[in-house]
Amino acid sequence: MRLLKVDTLNEARAKLLKASSGKIPQTERVPFIQSMGRVLAENVKSNENIPGFRKSTVDGYAVRSADTQGVTESIPVFLDVIEEVAIGSAPSKTLNPGQAVYVPTGGMLPEGADAMVMIEYCEKFDETGIAVYDSVSPGRNVISEGEDISRDQIILRRGSIIRPQEVGVLSSAGITEPEVYKPWKITVISTGDELVGAYDTPEKGQIRDINTYSVMASAMKHGFEIVETKVIKDDEKLIEEAIREAMETSDMVVASGGSSQGEKDYTADVMDRLSGGGVFTHGIALKPGKPTILGYDNRTETVMIGLPGHPAAALMVFELTAVWLYRQLTGQPEPKTAIAEITENVAAAGGKTTCLLVELKEQESSDGAKNSNLCKAYPILGKSGLMTTLTRADGYTMIDVNDEGLKEGRQIKVILF
Amino acid sequence: MRLLKVDTLNEARAKLLKASSGKIPQTERVPFIQSMGRVLAENVKSNENIPGFRKSTVDGYAVRSADTQGVTESIPVFLDVIEEVAIGSAPSKTLNPGQAVYVPTGGMLPEGADAMVMIEYCEKFDETGIAVYDSVSPGRNVISEGEDISRDQIILRRGSIIRPQEVGVLSSAGITEPEVYKPWKITVISTGDELVGAYDTPEKGQIRDINTYSVMASAMKHGFEIVETKVIKDDEKLIEEAIREAMETSDMVVASGGSSQGEKDYTADVMDRLSGGGVFTHGIALKPGKPTILGYDNRTETVMIGLPGHPAAALMVFELTAVWLYRQLTGQPEPKTAIAEITENVAAAGGKTTCLLVELKEQESSDGAKNSNLCKAYPILGKSGLMTTLTRADGYTMIDVNDEGLKEGRQIKVILF
């Protein structure tokens, strides 16, 4: 057994970022309709003012606000309607004192008008006149030109993930081909003599491969592109061949299984040998997830990660290292967390950062209005290797290495799955 | 202007659910690898015990726990090693008193053994013997057969969304073709003389279409399948033709624009005419989102929704009605919410449910350990029609119709986007 110095999670991440800092993900332009879920690679500026005209927010009459000074429900002002603007069209006339123009919601105000009176406060009065029963100040019920988005305004920032509302903003500003980051290509390898594929029937002593599929699914969820997945026996030659091949085709090679200090830890040796820089992390002070290997090869620009064999640990460590790294290099903010109260005392693993799975449930409290909604976090404690602990979880919370543990009732940050 | 009775959000939802309760989404079987993001249409049971054998969680020796009674660091017990089990293989011998078998992490225990001693507590002693320095109780370091998943255990429930961890559980139980709900087919129509496409340059008075794209993107995000999107002028014949066609091909027809009580509200009339049941909701007491139309056609089994024209309202009402309905019919739980403290007083819209957009920021408090993490919710208040309010938002909170408003400091439930 070799002596291994274990890194803290922060140390391991710092090394990972430093080693791969030259590996900026490539970018590409995609039609905005297909950009959902992609990460913006540039700050997006508007080329124009939105709206490109003064727009009414109500159905009503465009007026000179000065004409309505002193008007009340009992003392109206009488204005002459000179035009009815259709939605989508520009007015043809300028508004002079004493005049009004009908403008529908979303319609364009004529020159000379500076406010809108809602139709509910107006009454038709002979052929072309209206009586107006409300006084309005300048700008009332009007969106100015450029008030939503002004020319050259940064409307979306690099690192933002495009959601439906961002698709809407891109379309409103006519940004039809935003620049986004290309997904990283990833090869996922599972090693283990005990593994059979999901479609096979295991013999006594064998289990179906889980990690290939769950890590692959997590990679897809976070925007990676799967090059290949492989299940390999615990044979050093086969593992070396698989990893070497993957380094040529992939930005990231993830291998799970074979990284504990057991009789078979070829993954660590192979990764160390094949990566120009060598493996720089042999184990992370993380529960679960101690037997984690991190390395980087400069020649092929490949990030190399050896995940623990235990399925729950493999998935969480993948998120805490691989997904974390891609987020850093693409300028993405940390994912939002939920705040919840832990429902029981939880001891921390001494000397390690603990990654605690929790299930969230809402509860009404009897406190009345101020604390009417509480979110409770139920720790999920299970033996290593139980996949079902992960499906009950809504997310996880990190217990700092220096923390003694969590006391019941403490408010914790929960990173949601 | 016709007199319209406005429904509360709950009333509208109840009517929507009742009208469409016969429209259970169809299902299909998909390869589990492709099932990410899909909604399970059945409770998934395991056909077998997982693990299918008694499994060690450590590298060490399988023993009879009784043999280790009274053992301490200074008083070991000497056992005879009769076999070394390889990972993935079944042991060939039964363990008798005084014997031990080497088993790696994940390996199978032999008959006769009932516990594992970690290798760190054992020392090799002549050719075949070991000295054991730890006493273990039955079951120590062992996962029993079926302890993770037992035969016939429900491992996933109908209505669950398949995430990476569910992909892992499906693969571990050999469930290679889970039954999932087929996405609903949706046609999205935007109406408005003022609209031009995202690729066009607007003239004065015109704006680029937003709602078609943002609603389409939201539909895709929530698992709908887009049949078609259309932008149509405010012409009753054209609108009727488009909606009638869509009813034949789609489970849901969503039209935005043209549903306010302005001069042009053809959408409401058309939907009323074409739907067998008629439109049952003409407006929801919801801010924003009042001019919302809901209807259902029994003949074509089509849900019909008229969204407000304002982009922020259109997106939110789509989530609160269409997405909500699909969730109900597929048994999905309500989305998780975050709890946050509102940072300022917000007045409620009298007589309406208010849907308030918020931006979430985390803050450390100076309270010390008990309240060390607070999540603050900053209300986003903007004029109707501003798309940029939506991109700043992390989610929204619902202020109940009977609530006077929110006081600064109150903890609110935030539905995350």
Side-chain angles (χ1 to χ4, degrees):
Chain A
M1 208 194 302
R2 87 179 104 187
L3 272 177
L4 302 171
K5 178 196 171 295
V6 159
D7 294 333
T8 65
L9 178 61
N10 286 340
E11 285 170 347
R13 282 176 161 179
K15 290 181 184 179
L16 187 59
L17 187 57
K18 187 175 177 200
S20 53
S21 57
K23 187 176 172 61
I24 309 297
Q26 294 185 312
T27 66
E28 60 182 349
R29 291 203 175 273
V30 294
F32 78 104
I33 295 176
Q34 296 167 21
S35 67
M36 268 272 293
R38 300 296 292 269
V39 181
L40 272 174
E42 57 175 1
N43 288 339
V44 172
K45 277 187 182 182
S46 175
N47 299 319
E48 48 192 71
N49 286 327
I50 313 276
F53 55 93
R54 290 179 310 142
K55 181 157 77 158
S56 174
T57 62
V58 298
D59 293 321
Y61 289 90
V63 298
R64 288 172 169 265
S65 57
D67 285 351
T68 69
Q69 287 309 300
V71 160
T72 65
E73 275 186 36
S74 20
I75 311 171
V77 64
F78 295 91
L79 302 174
D80 197 37
V81 179
I82 61 167
E83 186 172 8
E84 285 190 14
V85 175
I87 188 95
S89 304
S92 62
K93 300 178 180 164
T94 302
L95 202 74
N96 291 311
Q99 296 180 330
V101 167
Y102 177 79
V103 180
T105 308
M108 178 173 169
L109 269 72
E111 288 294 320
D114 66 352
M116 289 289 307
V117 180
M118 285 173 72
I119 198 170
E120 285 87 345
Y121 295 110
C122 304
E123 208 174 359
K124 279 201 159 153
F125 173 81
D126 76 38
E127 278 295 312
T128 57
I130 51 166
V132 174
Y133 292 89
D134 192 29
S135 83
V136 288
S137 40
R140 179 76 170 279
N141 296 323
V142 176
I143 295 179
S144 319
E145 183 172 348
E147 188 175 335
D148 196 348
I149 299 170
S150 54
R151 186 176 293 115
D152 293 336
Q153 180 184 333
I154 293 176
I155 50 177
L156 295 170
R157 293 198 173 271
R158 170 190 170 257
S160 309
I161 294 179
I162 296 173
R163 304 166 299 174
Q165 46 269 64
E166 278 74 32
V167 170
V169 167
L170 289 170
S171 77
S172 76
I175 310 291
T176 52
E177 296 238 305
E179 195 178 6
V180 296
Y181 284 109
K182 275 188 179 176
W184 265 356
K185 293 190 194 334
I186 186 172
T187 295
V188 182
I189 298 170
S190 281
T191 63
D193 287 336
E194 77 278 26
L195 301 179
V196 298
Y199 290 83
D200 301 325
T201 306
E203 309 272 336
K204 286 292 183 196
Q206 296 181 324
I207 56 170
R208 289 194 189 78
D209 177 21
I210 297 173
N211 291 352
T212 301
Y213 308 112
S214 59
V215 172
M216 181 188 82
S218 180
M220 284 165 59
K221 172 184 165 186
H222 292 288
F224 291 73
E225 188 186 304
I226 310 296
V227 174
E228 195 178 11
T229 61
K230 274 186 157 177
V231 182
I232 307 179
K233 295 295 175 198
D234 270 322
D235 176 293
E236 194 164 8
K237 278 213 178 83
L238 291 176
I239 294 173
E240 175 160 344
E241 189 185 315
I243 292 179
R244 189 197 297 276
E245 261 184 51
M247 287 167 67
E248 301 297 330
T249 60
S250 311
D251 297 292
M252 182 178 284
V253 180
V254 175
S256 81
S259 50
S260 70
Q261 285 107 71
E263 291 182 299
K264 297 180 175 173
D265 56 355
Y266 301 129
T267 305
D269 290 337
V270 167
M271 285 189 169
D272 206 25
R273 216 159 42 237
L274 294 180
S275 62
V279 163
F280 46 75
T281 291
H282 288 92
I284 301 182
L286 183 66
K287 177 193 175 184
K290 184 175 168 199
T292 299
I293 293 155
L294 301 174
Y296 185 77
D297 177 57
N298 286 306
R299 183 183 67 82
T300 56
E301 287 189 359
T302 309
V303 178
M304 307 177 68
I305 301 180
L307 296 175
H310 290 141
L315 253 196
M316 281 200 287
V317 172
F318 180 75
E319 278 214 7
L320 293 171
T321 56
V323 176
W324 174 87
L325 178 66
Y326 187 76
R327 232 182 254 134
Q328 296 296 117
L329 294 175
T330 52
Q332 291 180 59
E334 284 299 298
K336 295 287 171 184
T337 57
I339 306 294
E341 271 188 24
I342 193 95
T343 56
E344 52 185 271
N345 294 336
V346 175
K352 294 182 188 177
T353 303
T354 304
C355 192
L356 177 71
L357 292 172
V358 295
E359 191 175 357
L360 298 177
K361 292 188 191 170
E362 285 166 29
Q363 261 164 255
E364 301 285 326
S365 86
S366 48
D367 275 61
K370 179 153 170 66
N371 287 310
S372 58
N373 296 307
L374 293 171
C375 193
K376 300 283 195 185
Y378 291 79
I380 297 172
L381 305 157
K383 285 183 181 165
S384 279
L386 294 190
M387 194 63 203
T388 43
T389 50
L390 255 186
T391 52
R392 284 175 44 211
D394 293 306
Y396 57 92
T397 187
M398 308 290 289
I399 305 177
D400 190 76
V401 61
N402 296 315
D403 225 318
E404 283 173 8
L406 301 175
K407 283 187 89 94
E408 177 186 341
R410 176 161 161 187
Q411 287 191 9
I412 56 167
K413 268 196 260 199
V414 179
I415 300 147
L416 298 168
F417 279 130
Chain B
M1 204 191 306
R2 85 180 106 188
L3 272 177
L4 301 171
K5 179 194 170 300
V6 160
D7 293 331
T8 65
L9 178 61
N10 285 341
E11 285 169 347
R13 281 176 161 179
K15 290 181 182 179
L16 186 60
L17 188 57
K18 186 170 177 208
S20 53
S21 57
K23 188 177 168 62
I24 309 297
Q26 294 184 311
T27 66
E28 61 182 347
R29 292 202 175 274
V30 294
F32 77 104
I33 294 176
Q34 296 168 20
S35 67
M36 267 271 294
R38 302 297 293 269
V39 181
L40 273 172
E42 56 175 359
N43 287 339
V44 172
K45 278 188 183 183
S46 175
N47 298 321
E48 47 192 73
N49 286 326
I50 313 273
F53 54 94
R54 289 176 312 141
K55 182 158 75 160
S56 173
T57 61
V58 298
D59 292 321
Y61 289 90
V63 298
R64 287 171 171 267
S65 57
D67 283 352
T68 68
Q69 286 310 300
V71 161
T72 66
E73 275 187 37
S74 17
I75 311 170
V77 63
F78 296 91
L79 301 175
D80 196 37
V81 177
I82 61 168
E83 184 171 9
E84 284 190 16
V85 175
I87 189 94
S89 303
S92 62
K93 300 179 181 166
T94 301
L95 201 74
N96 291 312
Q99 295 180 332
V101 167
Y102 177 79
V103 180
T105 307
M108 178 173 170
L109 268 73
E111 288 293 321
D114 64 355
M116 289 289 305
V117 179
M118 285 174 74
I119 198 171
E120 286 85 347
Y121 294 109
C122 303
E123 206 175 0
K124 276 200 164 156
F125 174 80
D126 76 38
E127 278 293 313
T128 56
I130 52 166
V132 173
Y133 292 91
D134 191 28
S135 82
V136 289
S137 40
R140 180 73 172 279
N141 297 320
V142 175
I143 295 179
S144 318
E145 181 171 349
E147 188 176 335
D148 194 350
I149 300 169
S150 53
R151 186 177 292 115
D152 292 336
Q153 179 185 334
I154 293 177
I155 51 178
L156 295 172
R157 293 196 173 273
R158 171 189 169 255
S160 310
I161 295 181
I162 296 173
R163 305 167 299 174
Q165 45 270 62
E166 279 75 30
V167 170
V169 167
L170 289 170
S171 77
S172 74
I175 311 291
T176 53
E177 297 237 304
E179 193 176 9
V180 297
Y181 283 109
K182 276 190 178 176
W184 265 355
K185 295 188 192 335
I186 186 173
T187 295
V188 182
I189 297 168
S190 281
T191 63
D193 287 337
E194 77 277 26
L195 300 181
V196 297
Y199 290 82
D200 300 323
T201 305
E203 308 274 334
K204 285 293 182 195
Q206 296 181 324
I207 58 170
R208 287 193 190 81
D209 177 22
I210 297 174
N211 292 349
T212 301
Y213 307 112
S214 60
V215 171
M216 181 187 81
S218 179
M220 284 165 61
K221 172 184 167 186
H222 292 288
F224 291 74
E225 189 187 303
I226 311 295
V227 174
E228 194 177 14
T229 60
K230 274 187 155 178
V231 181
I232 306 178
K233 295 298 178 196
D234 271 321
D235 175 294
E236 193 163 10
K237 277 212 178 83
L238 291 177
I239 293 172
E240 176 160 345
E241 191 185 313
I243 291 178
R244 187 197 299 275
E245 260 184 50
M247 286 166 69
E248 299 298 330
T249 60
S250 310
D251 297 293
M252 182 178 284
V253 180
V254 174
S256 81
S259 49
S260 70
Q261 285 107 68
E263 292 182 300
K264 295 179 176 176
D265 56 354
Y266 301 130
T267 305
D269 290 337
V270 167
M271 284 189 169
D272 206 26
R273 213 158 45 236
L274 295 180
S275 61
V279 163
F280 46 75
T281 290
H282 289 93
I284 301 182
L286 181 67
K287 177 191 174 185
K290 185 175 166 198
T292 300
I293 294 155
L294 301 174
Y296 185 78
D297 176 56
N298 286 306
R299 184 184 67 82
T300 57
E301 288 188 358
T302 309
V303 178
M304 306 177 69
I305 302 181
L307 296 175
H310 290 142
L315 254 195
M316 280 200 289
V317 171
F318 180 76
E319 277 214 6
L320 293 171
T321 56
V323 177
W324 174 87
L325 177 65
Y326 187 76
R327 231 183 254 133
Q328 295 297 115
L329 295 175
T330 52
Q332 291 180 59
E334 282 300 297
K336 295 286 170 185
T337 57
I339 307 293
E341 272 188 23
I342 194 94
T343 56
E344 51 184 272
N345 294 339
V346 175
K352 293 182 188 178
T353 304
T354 304
C355 193
L356 176 71
L357 292 171
V358 295
E359 192 177 357
L360 298 176
K361 292 188 188 170
E362 284 165 30
Q363 260 162 258
E364 302 285 327
S365 86
S366 47
D367 275 59
K370 178 149 172 65
N371 287 306
S372 58
N373 297 307
L374 294 169
C375 195
K376 301 283 195 183
Y378 292 79
I380 297 172
L381 305 155
K383 284 182 181 166
S384 280
L386 295 191
M387 192 65 204
T388 43
T389 50
L390 256 186
T391 52
R392 286 174 44 212
D394 294 305
Y396 58 93
T397 188
M398 308 291 289
I399 306 177
D400 189 78
V401 61
N402 295 316
D403 225 320
E404 283 174 5
L406 299 175
K407 284 187 88 94
E408 178 187 340
R410 175 161 158 188
Q411 288 191 10
I412 55 168
K413 267 196 262 199
V414 178
I415 300 144
L416 300 169
F417 277 131

